[in-house]
Amino acid sequence: MREGALADLRFGIVGLGLMGREFASAAARWIHLNDFDIRPAIVAVCDANASAFGWFKSNIPTIDFITTDYRELLDREDIDAIYCAVPHNLHEQLYTDIIRAGKHLLAEKPFGIDLAANRKILEAIQSNPKPLVRCASEFPFYPGGISIIHALLKEDFGQIIEVECGYLHSSDINPQKLINWKRITEFNGEYGCMGDLGMHVLHIPLRFGWFPHRVHAQLAKIVKERPDGKGKMVPCGTWDNATIFGEVEVASKGERFPITLHTKRIAPGETNTWFIRILGMRRSMAFSTKYPKTLQVMEYEPGGIQAWQQIDLGYQSAYPTITAGIFEFGFTDAILQMWAAFCDELTNGREKMRQPFYCATPEEAHQSHLIFTQALASSREGRN
Protein backbone atom coordinates (compact mmCIF):
# COMPACT_ATOMS: atom_id res chain seq x y z
CA MET A 1 0.00 0.00 0.00
CA ARG A 2 1.19 3.53 -0.75
CA GLU A 3 2.57 5.39 2.29
CA GLY A 4 0.03 7.68 3.89
CA ALA A 5 -2.93 6.20 2.02
CA LEU A 6 -4.39 3.86 4.61
CA ALA A 7 -7.94 4.97 3.83
CA ASP A 8 -7.64 4.72 0.05
CA LEU A 9 -6.91 1.57 -1.95
CA ARG A 10 -6.39 1.78 -5.68
CA PHE A 11 -7.48 -1.40 -7.45
CA GLY A 12 -6.85 -2.79 -10.89
CA ILE A 13 -9.03 -5.48 -12.44
CA VAL A 14 -7.61 -8.18 -14.69
CA GLY A 15 -10.37 -10.07 -16.52
CA LEU A 16 -13.42 -8.01 -17.43
CA GLY A 17 -16.04 -10.74 -17.79
CA LEU A 18 -19.01 -11.56 -15.58
CA MET A 19 -17.17 -11.41 -12.23
CA GLY A 20 -15.01 -8.46 -13.27
CA ARG A 21 -18.17 -6.41 -13.82
CA GLU A 22 -19.70 -7.60 -10.54
CA PHE A 23 -16.55 -6.62 -8.65
CA ALA A 24 -16.35 -3.21 -10.31
CA SER A 25 -20.01 -2.44 -9.61
CA ALA A 26 -19.42 -3.10 -5.90
CA ALA A 27 -17.22 0.00 -5.81
CA ALA A 28 -20.26 2.08 -6.79
CA ARG A 29 -22.15 0.56 -3.84
CA TRP A 30 -19.41 1.21 -1.28
CA ILE A 31 -21.48 4.01 0.27
CA HIS A 32 -23.83 1.29 1.56
CA LEU A 33 -21.24 0.43 4.21
CA ASN A 34 -21.66 2.31 7.49
CA ASP A 35 -18.65 4.05 9.07
CA PHE A 36 -16.15 2.14 6.95
CA ASP A 37 -13.09 4.35 6.59
CA ILE A 38 -11.44 2.41 3.75
CA ARG A 39 -12.29 3.64 0.27
CA PRO A 40 -11.34 1.47 -2.72
CA ALA A 41 -11.35 2.84 -6.24
CA ILE A 42 -11.11 1.02 -9.58
CA VAL A 43 -8.37 2.93 -11.39
CA ALA A 44 -7.14 0.46 -14.02
CA VAL A 45 -8.59 -2.44 -16.00
CA CYS A 46 -7.14 -5.10 -18.28
CA ASP A 47 -8.52 -7.71 -20.63
CA ALA A 48 -6.99 -9.43 -23.65
CA ASN A 49 -10.25 -8.68 -25.49
CA ALA A 50 -10.49 -4.92 -26.06
CA SER A 51 -14.23 -5.18 -26.76
CA ALA A 52 -14.74 -5.68 -23.01
CA PHE A 53 -13.62 -2.13 -22.23
CA GLY A 54 -16.82 -0.36 -23.26
CA TRP A 55 -18.93 -1.09 -20.18
CA PHE A 56 -16.08 -0.08 -17.86
CA LYS A 57 -15.42 3.18 -19.72
CA SER A 58 -19.10 4.06 -19.55
CA ASN A 59 -19.73 3.17 -15.92
CA ILE A 60 -16.54 3.50 -13.85
CA PRO A 61 -15.40 7.15 -13.87
CA THR A 62 -12.37 6.50 -11.63
CA ILE A 63 -10.55 4.46 -14.33
CA ASP A 64 -7.51 6.25 -15.72
CA PHE A 65 -5.63 3.35 -17.34
CA ILE A 66 -6.82 0.64 -19.75
CA THR A 67 -4.67 -2.05 -21.34
CA THR A 68 -4.77 -5.44 -23.06
CA ASP A 69 -1.42 -6.39 -21.46
CA TYR A 70 -1.63 -7.11 -17.73
CA ARG A 71 2.12 -6.56 -17.36
CA GLU A 72 1.61 -2.88 -18.14
CA LEU A 73 -0.85 -2.71 -15.29
CA LEU A 74 1.59 -4.40 -12.91
CA ASP A 75 4.30 -1.86 -13.77
CA ARG A 76 2.22 1.00 -12.38
CA GLU A 77 3.25 2.14 -8.92
CA ASP A 78 -0.09 3.84 -8.29
CA ILE A 79 -1.96 0.50 -8.10
CA ASP A 80 -2.12 -1.14 -4.68
CA ALA A 81 -4.14 -4.29 -5.34
CA ILE A 82 -5.52 -6.47 -8.12
CA TYR A 83 -8.75 -8.37 -8.50
CA CYS A 84 -8.12 -11.15 -11.04
CA ALA A 85 -10.86 -13.21 -12.72
CA VAL A 86 -9.50 -15.22 -15.64
CA PRO A 87 -9.85 -18.84 -16.87
CA HIS A 88 -8.12 -21.43 -14.71
CA ASN A 89 -5.35 -22.18 -17.20
CA LEU A 90 -4.09 -18.59 -16.76
CA HIS A 91 -3.99 -18.60 -12.95
CA GLU A 92 -0.44 -19.82 -12.49
CA GLN A 93 1.17 -17.25 -14.79
CA LEU A 94 -0.93 -14.24 -13.87
CA TYR A 95 -1.19 -14.85 -10.14
CA THR A 96 2.54 -15.45 -9.72
CA ASP A 97 3.37 -12.36 -11.80
CA ILE A 98 0.97 -10.22 -9.75
CA ILE A 99 2.43 -11.48 -6.47
CA ARG A 100 6.01 -10.97 -7.62
CA ALA A 101 5.12 -7.43 -8.67
CA GLY A 102 4.25 -6.76 -5.03
CA LYS A 103 0.54 -6.19 -5.61
CA HIS A 104 -2.05 -7.37 -3.12
CA LEU A 105 -4.28 -9.95 -4.76
CA LEU A 106 -7.91 -11.02 -4.46
CA ALA A 107 -8.40 -13.67 -7.13
CA GLU A 108 -10.90 -16.23 -8.28
CA LYS A 109 -10.78 -19.88 -7.37
CA PRO A 110 -9.41 -22.49 -7.69
CA PHE A 111 -5.94 -20.81 -7.61
CA GLY A 112 -4.45 -22.90 -10.42
CA ILE A 113 -5.78 -25.30 -13.02
CA ASP A 114 -4.37 -28.26 -11.07
CA LEU A 115 -2.32 -29.14 -8.00
CA ALA A 116 1.03 -28.51 -9.73
CA ALA A 117 -0.04 -25.01 -10.79
CA ASN A 118 -1.40 -24.32 -7.32
CA ARG A 119 1.95 -25.25 -5.76
CA LYS A 120 3.71 -22.76 -8.05
CA ILE A 121 1.38 -20.03 -6.80
CA LEU A 122 2.10 -20.99 -3.18
CA GLU A 123 5.83 -20.86 -3.88
CA ALA A 124 5.45 -17.33 -5.23
CA ILE A 125 3.57 -16.31 -2.07
CA GLN A 126 6.24 -17.84 0.17
CA SER A 127 8.96 -15.98 -1.73
CA ASN A 128 7.00 -12.71 -1.64
CA PRO A 129 5.27 -12.59 1.75
CA LYS A 130 4.37 -8.89 1.80
CA PRO A 131 1.34 -8.87 -0.52
CA LEU A 132 -1.95 -9.99 0.99
CA VAL A 133 -3.28 -12.82 -1.18
CA ARG A 134 -6.81 -14.13 -0.82
CA CYS A 135 -9.20 -16.36 -2.79
CA ALA A 136 -12.66 -15.06 -3.70
CA SER A 137 -15.53 -16.82 -1.93
CA GLU A 138 -18.52 -14.60 -1.24
CA PHE A 139 -21.37 -16.93 -0.28
CA PRO A 140 -20.35 -17.46 3.37
CA PHE A 141 -20.88 -13.71 3.82
CA TYR A 142 -24.65 -14.17 3.55
CA PRO A 143 -26.29 -13.45 6.95
CA GLY A 144 -27.09 -17.16 7.39
CA GLY A 145 -23.48 -18.11 6.75
CA ILE A 146 -22.21 -15.44 9.14
CA SER A 147 -24.64 -16.62 11.84
CA ILE A 148 -23.33 -20.18 11.50
CA ILE A 149 -19.73 -18.94 11.59
CA HIS A 150 -20.36 -17.03 14.83
CA ALA A 151 -21.92 -20.14 16.38
CA LEU A 152 -18.92 -22.23 15.31
CA LEU A 153 -16.54 -19.68 16.82
CA LYS A 154 -18.44 -20.01 20.10
CA GLU A 155 -18.27 -23.84 19.83
CA ASP A 156 -22.01 -24.02 20.42
CA PHE A 157 -22.58 -27.26 18.51
CA GLY A 158 -21.21 -29.81 20.96
CA GLN A 159 -19.91 -32.94 19.26
CA ILE A 160 -20.31 -32.66 15.49
CA ILE A 161 -22.40 -35.47 14.02
CA GLU A 162 -22.39 -34.65 10.30
CA VAL A 163 -21.74 -31.80 7.85
CA GLU A 164 -23.16 -31.28 4.36
CA CYS A 165 -22.33 -28.36 2.05
CA GLY A 166 -23.08 -27.63 -1.58
CA TYR A 167 -23.18 -25.23 -4.48
CA LEU A 168 -25.80 -26.08 -7.08
CA HIS A 169 -27.00 -24.53 -10.29
CA SER A 170 -28.79 -25.76 -13.38
CA SER A 171 -27.71 -23.53 -16.27
CA ASP A 172 -26.13 -26.53 -18.01
CA ILE A 173 -29.32 -28.58 -17.99
CA ASN A 174 -30.00 -27.11 -21.44
CA PRO A 175 -28.11 -29.39 -23.86
CA GLN A 176 -28.29 -26.67 -26.53
CA LYS A 177 -26.34 -24.17 -24.43
CA LEU A 178 -23.20 -23.19 -26.34
CA ILE A 179 -19.95 -24.61 -25.06
CA ASN A 180 -17.64 -22.20 -23.23
CA TRP A 181 -14.24 -22.43 -21.53
CA LYS A 182 -15.66 -23.98 -18.36
CA ARG A 183 -16.62 -27.09 -20.36
CA ILE A 184 -13.18 -27.49 -21.97
CA THR A 185 -10.52 -29.31 -19.94
CA GLU A 186 -7.67 -27.34 -21.52
CA PHE A 187 -9.00 -24.13 -19.96
CA ASN A 188 -11.04 -25.24 -16.95
CA GLY A 189 -8.96 -28.21 -15.82
CA GLU A 190 -9.74 -31.82 -15.08
CA TYR A 191 -11.51 -30.84 -11.83
CA GLY A 192 -14.47 -29.53 -13.84
CA CYS A 193 -17.28 -28.37 -11.56
CA MET A 194 -15.17 -29.02 -8.45
CA GLY A 195 -12.54 -26.44 -9.35
CA ASP A 196 -15.11 -23.95 -10.53
CA LEU A 197 -17.48 -24.20 -7.53
CA GLY A 198 -15.65 -26.03 -4.78
CA MET A 199 -14.00 -23.20 -2.83
CA HIS A 200 -17.43 -21.77 -2.02
CA VAL A 201 -18.39 -25.16 -0.55
CA LEU A 202 -15.15 -25.67 1.38
CA HIS A 203 -14.54 -22.18 2.76
CA ILE A 204 -16.31 -22.68 6.09
CA PRO A 205 -15.34 -26.35 6.64
CA LEU A 206 -11.66 -25.69 5.99
CA ARG A 207 -11.68 -22.54 8.13
CA PHE A 208 -12.69 -24.70 11.08
CA GLY A 209 -10.20 -27.46 10.37
CA TRP A 210 -12.59 -29.95 8.77
CA PHE A 211 -10.25 -31.36 6.16
CA PRO A 212 -11.45 -34.80 5.02
CA HIS A 213 -8.50 -37.19 5.06
CA ARG A 214 -10.39 -39.98 3.32
CA VAL A 215 -12.33 -39.09 0.18
CA HIS A 216 -14.65 -41.01 -2.13
CA ALA A 217 -16.27 -39.26 -5.07
CA GLN A 218 -19.10 -39.75 -7.53
CA LEU A 219 -18.38 -37.69 -10.65
CA ALA A 220 -20.73 -37.38 -13.61
CA LYS A 221 -20.42 -36.16 -17.21
CA ILE A 222 -24.07 -35.77 -18.13
CA VAL A 223 -23.99 -33.66 -21.30
CA LYS A 224 -21.09 -35.07 -23.29
CA GLU A 225 -21.18 -32.64 -26.22
CA ARG A 226 -22.50 -29.16 -26.95
CA PRO A 227 -22.93 -26.87 -29.96
CA ASP A 228 -19.95 -24.64 -30.71
CA GLY A 229 -22.00 -21.85 -32.28
CA LYS A 230 -20.63 -22.66 -35.74
CA GLY A 231 -22.95 -25.50 -36.62
CA LYS A 232 -20.97 -28.32 -35.04
CA MET A 233 -21.25 -30.39 -31.87
CA VAL A 234 -18.04 -30.59 -29.84
CA PRO A 235 -17.05 -32.71 -26.82
CA CYS A 236 -17.57 -31.51 -23.24
CA GLY A 237 -14.54 -32.73 -21.36
CA THR A 238 -15.22 -31.50 -17.83
CA TRP A 239 -17.28 -33.03 -15.02
CA ASP A 240 -20.81 -31.63 -14.73
CA ASN A 241 -21.62 -32.88 -11.23
CA ALA A 242 -19.60 -34.08 -8.26
CA THR A 243 -20.49 -35.43 -4.85
CA ILE A 244 -17.57 -35.98 -2.51
CA PHE A 245 -17.91 -38.13 0.59
CA GLY A 246 -15.25 -37.66 3.22
CA GLU A 247 -14.41 -38.33 6.85
CA VAL A 248 -13.11 -35.64 9.15
CA GLU A 249 -11.02 -36.48 12.19
CA VAL A 250 -10.66 -33.89 14.96
CA ALA A 251 -7.74 -35.38 16.85
CA SER A 252 -7.81 -32.79 19.64
CA LYS A 253 -11.35 -33.86 20.53
CA GLY A 254 -11.12 -37.51 19.60
CA GLU A 255 -14.02 -37.08 17.18
CA ARG A 256 -14.79 -38.32 13.67
CA PHE A 257 -17.71 -37.36 11.48
CA PRO A 258 -18.76 -37.62 7.82
CA ILE A 259 -18.75 -34.62 5.50
CA THR A 260 -20.52 -34.48 2.12
CA LEU A 261 -19.65 -31.87 -0.51
CA HIS A 262 -21.78 -31.18 -3.60
CA THR A 263 -20.68 -29.18 -6.64
CA LYS A 264 -23.20 -29.44 -9.47
CA ARG A 265 -23.80 -27.57 -12.71
CA ILE A 266 -26.83 -29.72 -13.54
CA ALA A 267 -29.09 -29.65 -10.47
CA PRO A 268 -32.67 -29.35 -11.76
CA GLY A 269 -34.53 -26.39 -10.31
CA GLU A 270 -31.48 -24.76 -8.73
CA THR A 271 -30.73 -21.36 -10.24
CA ASN A 272 -27.72 -20.71 -8.02
CA THR A 273 -27.92 -22.26 -4.57
CA TRP A 274 -25.25 -22.35 -1.85
CA PHE A 275 -26.08 -24.25 1.33
CA ILE A 276 -24.54 -25.60 4.52
CA ARG A 277 -25.98 -27.98 7.11
CA ILE A 278 -24.21 -28.83 10.38
CA LEU A 279 -25.65 -31.35 12.83
CA GLY A 280 -24.35 -31.41 16.39
CA MET A 281 -25.22 -33.03 19.70
CA ARG A 282 -26.08 -29.67 21.29
CA ARG A 283 -26.89 -27.42 18.32
CA SER A 284 -27.69 -27.94 14.65
CA MET A 285 -27.92 -25.22 12.00
CA ALA A 286 -28.74 -25.03 8.30
CA PHE A 287 -28.88 -22.27 5.72
CA SER A 288 -29.52 -22.04 1.98
CA THR A 289 -29.39 -19.04 -0.34
CA LYS A 290 -32.61 -20.40 -1.87
CA TYR A 291 -34.29 -18.91 1.23
CA PRO A 292 -31.96 -15.98 1.98
CA LYS A 293 -33.82 -14.69 5.06
CA THR A 294 -34.32 -18.07 6.73
CA LEU A 295 -31.91 -19.67 9.18
CA GLN A 296 -32.75 -23.10 10.61
CA VAL A 297 -31.63 -23.78 14.18
CA MET A 298 -32.20 -26.63 16.61
CA GLU A 299 -30.88 -26.38 20.15
CA TYR A 300 -31.06 -29.53 22.23
CA GLU A 301 -30.67 -30.30 25.92
CA PRO A 302 -30.52 -33.96 27.08
CA GLY A 303 -34.05 -35.21 27.49
CA GLY A 304 -35.48 -32.07 25.92
CA ILE A 305 -37.65 -31.52 22.86
CA GLN A 306 -36.08 -31.79 19.41
CA ALA A 307 -37.59 -29.04 17.25
CA TRP A 308 -36.17 -27.03 14.37
CA GLN A 309 -36.74 -23.26 14.53
CA GLN A 310 -37.16 -21.15 11.40
CA ILE A 311 -35.54 -17.78 12.15
CA ASP A 312 -36.19 -14.84 9.81
CA LEU A 313 -32.80 -13.12 9.70
CA GLY A 314 -33.44 -10.22 7.42
CA TYR A 315 -30.42 -8.09 6.47
CA GLN A 316 -27.81 -8.82 9.16
CA SER A 317 -24.42 -8.47 7.49
CA ALA A 318 -20.88 -8.94 8.78
CA TYR A 319 -20.15 -5.26 8.07
CA PRO A 320 -23.04 -2.91 8.96
CA THR A 321 -24.73 -1.09 6.08
CA ILE A 322 -27.39 1.53 5.56
CA THR A 323 -29.80 -1.21 4.43
CA ALA A 324 -32.61 -1.79 6.92
CA GLY A 325 -32.86 -5.21 8.54
CA ILE A 326 -36.31 -5.79 7.05
CA PHE A 327 -34.86 -6.19 3.56
CA GLU A 328 -33.33 -9.24 1.90
CA PHE A 329 -29.63 -9.83 1.38
CA GLY A 330 -28.43 -10.90 -2.09
CA PHE A 331 -25.45 -11.87 -4.24
CA THR A 332 -24.29 -8.31 -4.90
CA ASP A 333 -24.36 -7.68 -1.15
CA ALA A 334 -22.16 -10.75 -0.61
CA ILE A 335 -19.61 -9.42 -3.13
CA LEU A 336 -19.53 -6.10 -1.28
CA GLN A 337 -19.08 -7.80 2.11
CA MET A 338 -16.27 -10.03 0.80
CA TRP A 339 -14.44 -7.05 -0.68
CA ALA A 340 -14.89 -5.16 2.60
CA ALA A 341 -13.32 -8.10 4.46
CA PHE A 342 -10.35 -8.05 2.08
CA CYS A 343 -9.85 -4.30 2.51
CA ASP A 344 -10.32 -4.58 6.28
CA GLU A 345 -7.67 -7.29 6.63
CA LEU A 346 -5.31 -5.48 4.27
CA THR A 347 -5.57 -2.18 6.13
CA ASN A 348 -5.96 -3.29 9.74
CA GLY A 349 -4.49 -6.80 9.89
CA ARG A 350 -6.37 -9.94 10.79
CA GLU A 351 -6.23 -9.38 14.54
CA LYS A 352 -7.81 -5.92 14.29
CA MET A 353 -10.50 -6.63 11.71
CA ARG A 354 -13.94 -5.24 12.51
CA GLN A 355 -15.43 -8.73 12.40
CA PRO A 356 -13.73 -12.16 12.66
CA PHE A 357 -14.42 -13.83 9.30
CA TYR A 358 -11.78 -13.22 6.64
CA CYS A 359 -11.56 -14.21 2.98
CA ALA A 360 -10.39 -17.67 1.93
CA THR A 361 -6.62 -18.06 2.22
CA PRO A 362 -4.14 -19.56 -0.28
CA GLU A 363 -3.59 -22.39 2.19
CA GLU A 364 -7.30 -23.18 2.16
CA ALA A 365 -7.30 -23.06 -1.63
CA HIS A 366 -4.39 -25.53 -1.56
CA GLN A 367 -6.37 -27.85 0.70
CA SER A 368 -9.23 -27.72 -1.80
CA HIS A 369 -6.81 -28.88 -4.51
CA LEU A 370 -5.76 -31.83 -2.35
CA ILE A 371 -9.42 -32.81 -1.94
CA PHE A 372 -10.23 -32.45 -5.66
CA THR A 373 -7.13 -34.45 -6.61
CA GLN A 374 -8.23 -37.26 -4.28
CA ALA A 375 -11.71 -37.10 -5.78
CA LEU A 376 -10.31 -37.56 -9.31
CA ALA A 377 -8.25 -40.51 -8.10
CA SER A 378 -11.33 -42.03 -6.46
CA SER A 379 -13.25 -41.77 -9.73
CA ARG A 380 -10.43 -43.24 -11.84
CA GLU A 381 -9.96 -46.15 -9.46
CA GLY A 382 -13.66 -46.89 -9.25
CA ARG A 383 -13.89 -46.11 -5.55
CA ASN A 384 -17.24 -44.38 -5.95
Side-chain angles (χ1 to χ4, degrees), residues 21-292:
R21 292 191 297 272
E22 287 288 349
F23 187 81
S25 69
R29 300 184 66 247
W30 205 261
I31 57 173
H32 283 242
L33 295 168
N34 267 337
D35 301 320
F36 201 79
D37 58 359
I38 308 163
R39 297 184 302 273
I42 307 298
V43 299
V45 293
C46 172
D47 198 285
N49 181 5
S51 66
F53 296 151
W55 183 89
F56 288 82
K57 289 179 180 179
S58 300
N59 294 287
I60 313 296
T62 52
I63 294 173
D64 57 26
F65 182 72
I66 295 174
T67 180
T68 57
D69 185 348
Y70 75 94
R71 295 176 183 85
E72 292 182 353
L73 188 148
L74 299 185
D75 288 338
R76 294 182 67 92
E77 294 183 0
D78 60 347
I79 295 174
D80 302 310
I82 303 292
Y83 170 71
C84 191
V86 295
H88 304 167
N89 63 308
L90 301 178
H91 286 191
E92 178 185 344
Q93 184 68 60
L94 270 68
Y95 291 11
T96 55
D97 284 350
I98 292 167
I99 294 162
R100 288 166 183 155
K103 307 298 185 186
H104 305 291
L105 175 63
L106 176 60
E108 284 299 325
K109 72 283 176 209
F111 262 56
I113 195 169
D114 55 23
L115 183 57
N118 176 256
R119 284 175 172 150
K120 291 293 184 182
I121 296 169
L122 286 183
E123 289 172 6
I125 294 170
Q126 292 163 1
S127 300
N128 301 270
K130 289 187 178 180
L132 178 70
V133 181
R134 293 291 178 262
C135 180
S137 171
E138 59 273 2
F139 288 99
F141 286 94
Y142 267 75
I146 292 297
S147 295
I148 289 173
I149 288 162
H150 282 299
L152 287 168
L153 289 170
K154 294 177 182 178
E155 299 186 344
D156 280 350
F157 287 80
Q159 182 178 344
I160 300 296
I161 301 169
E162 184 177 358
V163 174
E164 183 177 17
C165 313
Y167 186 12
L168 317 173
H169 66 74
S170 59
S171 64
D172 282 9
I173 199 169
N174 177 9
Q176 296 304 311
K177 179 181 177 181
L178 296 180
I179 197 165
N180 60 26
W181 68 266
K182 291 185 178 181
R183 282 83 197 164
I184 302 172
T185 306
E186 177 186 357
F187 304 111
N188 187 76
E190 192 180 356
Y191 297 148
C193 59
M194 295 183 290
D196 192 36
L197 310 176
M199 193 67 245
H200 296 306
V201 177
L202 284 161
H203 191 169
I204 292 177
L206 293 178
R207 179 61 48 84
F208 289 93
W210 300 341
F211 178 84
H213 294 280
R214 295 198 304 172
V215 162
H216 301 271
Q218 293 180 338
L219 310 182
K221 291 181 182 178
I222 299 167
V223 178
K224 296 181 172 60
E225 60 178 15
R226 291 188 178 275
D228 66 356
K230 301 176 183 179
K232 294 183 179 180
M233 299 296 289
V234 295
C236 281
T238 60
W239 299 106
D240 291 310
N241 288 358
T243 299
I244 300 173
F245 305 95
E247 183 180 61
V248 173
E249 181 176 359
V250 184
S252 61
K253 297 182 178 180
E255 298 176 3
R256 290 188 179 187
F257 58 86
I259 186 169
T260 306
L261 311 167
H262 304 274
T263 56
K264 298 180 179 180
R265 291 184 180 135
I266 301 179
E270 305 292 348
T271 300
N272 202 55
T273 301
W274 176 86
F275 72 90
I276 183 168
R277 183 170 179 263
I278 303 172
L279 303 181
M281 290 291 289
R282 187 165 63 241
R283 171 188 285 254
S284 298
M285 299 181 77
F287 173 74
S288 169
T289 57
K290 183 181 284 289
Y291 309 103

Side-chain angles (χ1 to χ4, degrees), residues 284-304:
S284 298
M285 299 181 77
F287 173 74
S288 169
T289 57
K290 183 181 284 289
Y291 309 103
K293 292 197 300 184
T294 302
L295 177 69
Q296 294 181 289
V297 180
M298 187 180 78
E299 296 176 339
Y300 174 72
E301 295 291 340

